[in-house]
Amino acid sequence: MTLNSKIWNRKHTAWGSNKKEYQASDSKVVTCAAVWRMPKELESGSHESPDDSSSNAQTLELLCHLDNTAHGNMACVMWEPMGDGKRLISLADNNILLWDLQESSAKAVLSSSTALEGKGQLKFTSGRWSPHHNCTQIATASDTTVRGWDTRSMKQIYCIENAHGQLVRDLDFNPNKQYYLASCGDDCKVKFWDTRNVTEPVKTLEEHSHWVWNVRYNHSHDQLILTGSSDSRVILSNMVSISSEPFGHMVDDDDLSDQEDHHQEEKSKEPLQDSIIATYEEHEDSVYAVEWSSADPWLFASLSYDGRLVINRVPRALKYHILL
């Protein structure tokens, strides 16, 4: 399950949304993907409200299918983080496919591809396109291994074998620190990696009691980490020690009028420690998707197997501690 809304992914409003489809073929379920365009009324910057009860229901416009018939079942689709929204990567079984959308977006051309080779039936489970390095790198998960790839040569650039004790479910790049990558998996752990040295994780979280399906960095404040799990919980963590602002904001002594104000100011400006900010238990079933809002950095959503969508905010006290 994915959250396809203008709030959650601004790129998708510009070029539609990648939508996985399920087709029955010879008693088998085949997963594929297509590119859709959202109605103009729902695009970012539109002043019209989609909640207007007087308006008619809007439909998506099918632009093109990503033809993966020769490559296997589609695991995920990733838009290029920067650029004009005309490039995307799909993972199909053990294949990485780089697509270019034509000017009309009515056709997707396969520009390059590579295959994961090894023993057994290797399949990708998830992937993430890095917003750094001029968008020339992606990370993929297959079984218990995390790999990095250069999209220009389609060659592997790093490999984290046994990144997790069981299946790796999801990945996400730190938006502000170019070498930092988060992973989560069926071993109930969330791990943070420096891709320049992958022998050991930089940090590990073990707060969930079942499979961790999603991990997401906050787009603006990379110390805020969101995770969702089959234990029906959403956990908001504060990983300030490995963030881009590990020491908080500095206090200028000249701005303090007296010793008492100085003491109070120092106390309020003490750097935050790594901790669990909040645990949300509004879901009654496995949480399969969590996502930060692209419009409001303090807003996030979670989606569970029973179809319940829950929207929450970062606690106000923490918000002001980060901002002030």
Side-chain angles (χ1 to χ4, degrees), residues 268-292:
S268 66
K269 293 296 183 177
E270 288 178 358
L272 295 171
Q273 302 297 316
D274 292 347
S275 62
I276 301 302
I277 299 168
T279 299
Y280 302 88
E281 300 184 354
E282 294 97 336
H283 293 281
E284 297 179 359
D285 214 325
S286 298
V287 179
Y288 284 163
V290 294
E291 195 65 72
W292 290 99

Side-chain angles (χ1 to χ4, degrees), residues 212-229:
V212 186
W213 282 82
N214 264 156
V215 56
R216 287 290 180 270
Y217 276 102
N218 185 286
H219 307 305
S220 302
H221 308 284
D222 57 39
Q223 66 264 50
L224 300 179
I225 307 294
L226 199 61
T227 56
S229 166

